[in-house]
Amino acid sequence: LSLRLQKQQLHHAILLVGEQGCGESELSKALAKRILCSASDILPCATCKACLLFEAQSHPDFHAVTTEKTQIGVDAVRVAIEQVTKTAQLSANKVILINHIENMSESASNALLKTLEEPTKHTFLVLTTNAPQYILATIKSRCEKIRVPMPSFDQSKVFIAQHSKAIVTEDILAAYKHSPLLYLAQADDKGLDFNSFKRDFTGLIQGRESAEGLANKWKDMAADAVHWTAQLSLQQFAVEVKSTTDQSRTVVGTQWMKVYDQATYATKKLRQAGLNKPLILSALFALIQSLK
Ligand SMILES: [Zn+2]
């Protein structure tokens, strides 16, 4: 991307697509910084005025659209678009950055679409998404899509070792969608990590934990809890199938597939705004409890 920018061949709208935790927002910021940097190295120089202002979050030609809400509204997008119609104040280029564009409202998407169709000179749009299926086809077709892959386990191990003393296995990293970033962000957060969920999950199967109690405990990490439920139910399924010699007992294995299906369904439901997360979780956990 840097090389193409140097040759003035960079598309004016870049859409970085990747799974949650692949580092797409980190990359989007680095790219924005590079576009504004006045040096012409591969990476942003980190010492020019533009880079220093960018780091201080006060670069006048950088407009990040952010929101406290679950949806990105049209007003926030309009403000950014209005800003870039003016001449660049400091750098030669101007950048609008929007992360998670799948969260844009319909009117916000339409406002963005107009800018994509009639781009202002020297303006770059750097966009990211974890869910390209929720984005208007007209927006996608006007962007250059760049897939951001998840790092390999070996790459992740090196990265995690630079930031933490923890020893990760492939199994543990899988609980964090194979993402070293998600692992580092969540693994020691309030002790609510994959290992403690695994203990609660076992407690639920053995009747030591209640569905409501756990739903309440994990409500702030509902998406992770659901993802881990799916992962652990697949493991349970494999264990049941392996350990059973009695053909009639294969039914137990299929029940874990039901849990997996419900977890997949819960993932979709959790994406909708304003839904009762403890309720979705307790329905899922109650199903696990009923397997006894
Ligand atoms: Zn610089």
Side-chain angles (χ1 to χ4, degrees), residues 34-93:
R34 173 62 192 88
I35 292 171
L36 296 167
C37 174
S38 43
S40 57
D41 307 327
I42 293 293
L43 293 173
C45 76
T47 50
C48 74
K49 196 177 174 188
C51 284
L52 294 176
L53 281 171
F54 186 89
E55 276 309 312
Q57 296 180 9
S58 42
H59 195 297
D61 304 315
F62 175 63
H63 310 282
V65 178
T66 51
T67 177
E68 302 283 297
K69 299 176 198 142
T70 45
Q71 200 178 51
I72 302 169
V74 66
D75 290 342
V77 174
R78 271 204 196 117
V79 168
I81 293 170
E82 222 164 86
Q83 296 287 341
V84 293
T85 52
K86 300 173 193 159
T87 335
Q89 294 182 54
L90 185 78
S91 301
N93 298 320

